[in-house]
Amino acid sequence: MTPPSPEAVLLHVRVQPRARANAVKGWHGEALRVSVTAAPEDGRANRAVIALLAETFDIAPSSISLVRGAASRDKWFRLPRGVKIPA
């Protein structure tokens, strides 16, 4: 019997705002490190991270939600089931 597949994937992301370029830097421990050019004001950096993750994983930005860490560099995002996250 196959275990049920999860409804979503939780992804721990460590964000560097005000960087020179939007980029996925790779894994640092359990967190995916990303940099965005947006400032951490009025949710701009969060929206930029969502756009970067959507482009990286080839999914719609509307399918990504910020679960925890809106005002922190360490954030948790919920991605839709079936997204392949590289190791």
Side-chain angles (χ1 to χ4, degrees), residues 3-79:
S5 53
E7 291 299 314
V9 175
L10 288 178
L11 178 64
H12 181 197
V13 178
R14 174 81 173 169
V15 180
Q16 177 189 353
R18 291 189 178 128
R20 291 179 185 245
N22 292 338
V24 175
K25 302 284 189 166
W27 292 98
H28 182 74
E30 296 290 317
L32 182 64
R33 291 188 51 102
V34 300
S35 60
V36 292
T37 58
E41 300 165 351
D42 301 321
R44 289 185 200 132
N46 292 335
R47 290 190 297 273
V49 172
I50 288 173
L52 180 61
L53 292 176
E55 180 182 329
T56 300
F57 297 120
D58 196 28
I59 56 177
S62 61
S63 67
I64 301 172
S65 60
L66 178 61
V67 176
R68 188 175 5 160
S72 171
R73 287 182 182 220
D74 286 302
K75 302 178 184 301
W76 287 88
F77 289 93
R78 179 177 289 124
L79 307 176

